[in-house]
Amino acid sequence: MEYPTLIVLLALLQYVWFTMRTGMGRVKYKVDAPACTGDEAWERLFRVQQNTLEQLIVFVPACYAFAWFLSPLWASVLGAVFIIGRFFYAAEYIKYPKTRSLGMGLTLLPSVVLILGALFGIVRGLI
Amino acid sequence: MEYPTLIVLLALLQYVWFTMRTGMGRVKYKVDAPACTGDEAWERLFRVQQNTLEQLIVFVPACYAFAWFLSPLWASVLGAVFIIGRFFYAAEYIKYPKTRSLGMGLTLLPSVVLILGALFGIVRGLI
Amino acid sequence: MEYPTLIVLLALLQYVWFTMRTGMGRVKYKVDAPACTGDEAWERLFRVQQNTLEQLIVFVPACYAFAWFLSPLWASVLGAVFIIGRFFYAAEYIKYPKTRSLGMGLTLLPSVVLILGALFGIVRGLI
């Protein structure tokens, strides 16, 4: 499970970067805790982080389940697509939220394929 | 770990459904990103998704720990209760948030039992 | 993996406590679902829970990866620091959000060390 874990850890590092940028943005855009609204530039940073969190809760267990029950190689490839998709998503969202669809698709699609592939791998083994 | 993983993957699929419904709701209820407030009908969809995320962070690792250190069968049964409870929670919350207690209990209780059972299984093995 | 799992489960219990306190706070501070703003005392409880969720998504997989590829003992020690840091963070944030830096550092730092240590352990094994 070396390669899938490597990919998962890189996705976590990317998320830590989004988190730190959001934290530092509180100072820059003057959004004092506990507020989560204010300057829209900060709200975009915040939503990029939150949305990545919303995706990671699926990605991490699905990536491991796919790697274990179907293919560690393809789990890693799909995971790499997930990370690249997140970079697109973040870059587009911060510029102009309406253009986030491609990046969103490139992270949601790998996650759904990871879930369905892992389900297929388990069911194939049980029957 | 086939059956606990099957249950975890189904819980993730349910959450992906809640997530997609929230995303599509942004168009229907005219809540443009990055805003997370507006039409209360959308806020309910959003909170169902967010609350499921808040629960999954506990459920996924606790389900695996319980399966590993105590019983994969009972981990799967408790996980099935979790998923059914989430459907109740979502249906009630969207109709009328004040009635969400039963669905909430049916997801929080299995998670707490999974944590405590896993702790019991580990401590029993260590002493 | 008994000790790392023990630590992960204790961190989840701590988070369940933060979650229940936020839920009970909705009654005390009269913040009716689905609203997530209102009395600032409640917003502080809510942000403590949310921020812990934002941290757990990194901590749980990074703790296991570090334990598996480098050292279960040090994964447990860093995990204990994470839990203690979260208690500081919660206590300070609820009193006065601006003083949360120490507690924040004591949870973010272990998570980053867990990620980097796990990456080191994997890369060392591959080359």
Side-chain angles (χ1 to χ4, degrees):
Chain A
M1 304 300 271
E2 278 81 0
Y3 290 104
T5 303
L6 204 64
I7 290 290
V8 164
L9 291 168
L10 292 177
L12 296 181
L13 265 190
Q14 182 187 41
Y15 167 76
V16 168
W17 161 240
F18 292 157
T19 302
M20 292 177 71
R21 198 169 52 170
T22 306
M24 293 181 299
R26 280 193 178 276
V27 181
K28 185 176 173 193
Y29 296 109
K30 300 186 179 59
V31 183
D32 283 344
C36 288
T37 48
D39 192 316
E40 200 193 301
W42 183 82
E43 288 186 21
R44 292 179 187 184
L45 294 176
F46 181 60
R47 281 304 306 160
V48 165
Q49 181 223 339
Q50 292 289 310
N51 190 274
T52 306
L53 166 62
E54 292 166 20
Q55 300 286 322
L56 282 174
I57 194 79
V58 175
F59 172 69
V60 175
C63 184
Y64 276 116
F66 187 102
W68 190 258
F69 291 106
L70 203 60
S71 159
L73 174 66
W74 282 101
S76 308
V77 171
L78 288 162
V81 173
F82 176 91
I83 294 172
I84 294 164
R86 277 289 101 179
F87 273 122
F88 271 105
Y89 176 83
E92 291 299 317
Y93 201 121
I94 286 163
K95 271 193 293 179
Y96 187 53
K98 283 203 190 303
T99 60
R100 71 192 188 279
S101 313
L102 175 67
M104 188 69 204
L106 282 177
T107 51
L108 196 56
L109 191 68
S111 289
V112 170
V113 174
L114 287 169
I115 296 178
L116 297 180
L119 282 173
F120 169 75
I122 292 175
V123 171
R124 190 186 55 174
L126 288 175
I127 56 176
Chain B
M1 305 299 271
E2 278 81 0
Y3 289 104
T5 303
L6 204 64
I7 290 290
V8 164
L9 291 168
L10 292 176
L12 296 181
L13 264 189
Q14 181 187 41
Y15 167 77
V16 168
W17 161 239
F18 292 157
T19 302
M20 293 177 70
R21 198 169 51 170
T22 306
M24 293 181 298
R26 279 193 178 273
V27 182
K28 184 176 172 193
Y29 296 110
K30 301 185 179 60
V31 183
D32 283 344
C36 288
T37 49
D39 192 316
E40 199 192 301
W42 184 80
E43 288 186 20
R44 291 179 187 183
L45 294 176
F46 181 60
R47 281 303 307 159
V48 165
Q49 182 223 338
Q50 292 290 309
N51 190 275
T52 305
L53 165 63
E54 292 166 20
Q55 300 286 321
L56 283 174
I57 194 81
V58 175
F59 172 70
V60 175
C63 185
Y64 276 115
F66 187 102
W68 189 258
F69 291 106
L70 204 60
S71 158
L73 174 66
W74 283 101
S76 309
V77 171
L78 287 162
V81 173
F82 176 92
I83 293 172
I84 295 164
R86 275 290 100 178
F87 273 124
F88 271 104
Y89 176 84
E92 292 299 318
Y93 201 121
I94 287 163
K95 271 194 293 180
Y96 187 54
K98 283 203 189 304
T99 60
R100 70 191 189 279
S101 313
L102 176 67
M104 189 69 205
L106 281 178
T107 50
L108 196 56
L109 192 67
S111 289
V112 170
V113 174
L114 287 169
I115 296 177
L116 297 180
L119 282 173
F120 170 76
I122 292 174
V123 171
R124 191 184 56 174
L126 288 175
I127 58 176
Chain C
M1 305 299 271
E2 278 81 359
Y3 290 104
T5 303
L6 204 65
I7 289 291
V8 164
L9 291 167
L10 292 176
L12 296 181
L13 265 189
Q14 182 187 41
Y15 167 76
V16 168
W17 161 240
F18 292 157
T19 302
M20 292 177 71
R21 199 169 51 169
T22 306
M24 293 181 300
R26 280 192 178 275
V27 182
K28 185 176 171 193
Y29 296 108
K30 300 187 178 62
V31 182
D32 284 343
C36 288
T37 49
D39 192 317
E40 199 193 301
W42 183 80
E43 288 185 21
R44 292 179 186 183
L45 294 176
F46 181 60
R47 281 303 307 160
V48 166
Q49 182 223 338
Q50 293 290 309
N51 189 275
T52 305
L53 165 62
E54 292 165 20
Q55 299 287 321
L56 282 174
I57 195 80
V58 175
F59 172 70
V60 175
C63 185
Y64 277 116
F66 186 102
W68 189 258
F69 291 106
L70 202 62
S71 157
L73 174 66
W74 282 102
S76 309
V77 171
L78 288 162
V81 174
F82 176 91
I83 294 172
I84 294 165
R86 275 290 100 179
F87 273 123
F88 271 104
Y89 176 83
E92 291 300 317
Y93 201 121
I94 286 163
K95 272 194 292 180
Y96 186 54
K98 284 203 190 301
T99 61
R100 70 191 190 280
S101 314
L102 176 67
M104 189 68 205
L106 281 177
T107 50
L108 196 56
L109 192 67
S111 288
V112 171
V113 174
L114 287 169
I115 295 177
L116 298 180
L119 282 173
F120 169 76
I122 291 174
V123 171
R124 191 186 55 174
L126 289 175
I127 58 176

